[in-house]
Amino acid sequence: MTLLLAPMEGLLDFVLRDVLTRMGGVDRCVSEFIRITGTLLPDKVFLRYVPELRNGGRTLSGVPVRAQLLGSDPVSMAENAARLAALGPEGIDLNFGCPAKVVNRHGGGAALLQEPERIAAVVGAVRRAVPAHLPVSAKMRLGFNDTALMRECAQAMQDGGAAELVVHARTKADGYRPPAYWEHIPAIRAAVRIPVVANGEIWTVADAQRCRAVSGCDALMLGRGMVADPGLARAIRAADSGRPGTDTVAWSDLLPHLADFWHLVCEDLEPRQRAGRLKQWLNLLRRRFPEAEAAFQQVRTMTDQRAISMWIAALPGRDF
């Protein structure tokens, strides 16, 4: 059983990767996408998105991070992949799932799901450009407006040399609206020989079990569900071991990590981003922790970093 931590632009970045992987249970992470246009990016750009490259391609708790690229030009993607490979990532992942209009308008992300032959060209160019030992994987949705080409797209990724495929079980048109259509994944699994990972709407242990049963995938990618419940990966593993409910994370367990998160946000992000990032995480934590509701209401109107730092310092049990 493999549990991956998803990339989520503007949410699940290197700061939250660091904190969430400390909780345990995650086998591998994927970075937010690095957008490739016609330019050969300097090392500093890759390092900004994936600072774990300075730590052997792993988070501080030792979890490998695969760097994700998004683009549609095979030559540019290959050149940038080669430069990225020289920095020592765990692997390179290719994004064929982003639904953002600005990305799709320029032929990237989910837009390529309308053209399987272009997908094969991009994956093949990247595979040839990086060392043979470096894994190349891909992430896709079920399609752009519908699922008509999902098998062809998956086969194109495999034929291009992808060693693993993550399927976000929604189309671009579905956006992030529930449900996720896990029932389409078996057809994709049957169309390819490479491992397939299921992704989408896995918020609880029960969701993980249902997703496995419906999709036939043993491996799962966790996104917002892991942000809302940082102990989700551990809880899934406990249930798999026949010990359901024995490895959960309480609010009191989370408080030191919340403080660490705020410290990292203040250290690594622009001042204008800091308060919003804390509120963003607390907002999602409300799904799992009643205490997060009160915390969110307390900081909801705060914008001053010093005031928020004082609030963090005054949290119950802050002698961690």
Side-chain angles (χ1 to χ4, degrees), residues 228-240:
D229 180 3
L232 180 57
R234 279 170 38 181
I236 292 170
R237 292 192 183 281
D240 285 351

Side-chain angles (χ1 to χ4, degrees), residues 240-290:
D240 285 351
S241 302
R243 301 177 290 106
T246 61
D247 195 5
T248 57
V249 172
W251 180 249
S252 58
D253 300 325
L254 191 56
L255 290 178
H257 299 286
L258 197 65
D260 288 343
F261 173 76
W262 178 244
H263 173 74
L264 290 168
V265 162
C266 292
E267 193 175 76
D268 296 323
L269 300 185
E270 296 292 326
R272 60 184 172 78
Q273 300 174 303
R274 294 169 187 170
R277 287 302 306 279
L278 179 65
K279 295 171 193 178
Q280 182 186 43
W281 192 19
L282 285 171
N283 184 42
L284 272 164
L285 288 170
R286 294 191 292 174
R287 291 183 64 114
R288 166 69 173 78
F289 301 97

Side-chain angles (χ1 to χ4, degrees), residues 63-245:
V63 178
V65 180
R66 195 165 287 186
Q68 188 180 81
L69 301 180
L70 180 153
S72 57
D73 177 63
V75 173
S76 188
M77 287 286 281
E79 291 174 347
N80 279 278
R83 173 162 285 185
L84 172 59
L87 298 175
E90 185 276 341
I92 293 177
D93 190 69
L94 303 176
N95 181 317
F96 300 108
C98 178
K101 289 181 180 179
V102 66
V103 169
N104 295 164
R105 194 163 55 240
H106 292 92
L112 285 171
L113 296 174
Q114 302 168 104
E115 302 178 81
E117 65 283 356
R118 290 187 66 198
I119 288 175
V122 169
V123 179
V126 170
R127 178 64 276 175
R128 291 188 295 272
V130 303
H133 72 271
L134 196 71
V136 173
S137 54
K139 186 168 190 241
M140 64 176 281
R141 284 179 174 249
L142 296 175
F144 195 74
N145 291 316
D146 56 46
T147 62
L149 293 175
M150 64 181 186
R151 296 174 186 81
E152 290 83 351
C153 288
Q155 289 168 341
M157 294 172 200
Q158 172 186 267
D159 294 347
E164 179 185 78
L165 176 60
V166 175
V167 178
H168 181 160
R170 285 184 271 235
T171 65
K172 182 270 179 188
D174 293 328
Y176 293 97
R177 295 186 305 274
Y181 300 96
W182 303 324
E183 63 271 19
H184 287 293
I185 296 180
I188 293 174
R189 290 179 58 242
V192 297
R193 301 177 303 279
I194 58 177
V196 175
V197 181
N199 171 235
E201 292 299 310
I202 302 171
W203 295 92
T204 65
V205 172
D207 290 339
Q209 292 170 333
R210 283 197 303 274
C211 180
R212 280 196 184 131
V214 172
S215 70
C217 296
D218 187 47
L220 304 176
M221 176 174 275
L222 309 176
R224 288 174 298 166
M226 184 79 177
V227 179
D229 180 3
L232 180 57
R234 279 170 38 181
I236 292 170
R237 292 192 183 281
D240 285 351
S241 302
R243 301 177 290 106

Side-chain angles (χ1 to χ4, degrees), residues 293-304:
E293 174 66 37
F296 178 76
Q297 294 303 332
Q298 288 167 13
V299 301
R300 186 169 58 88
T301 58
M302 291 185 186
T303 56
D304 181 68

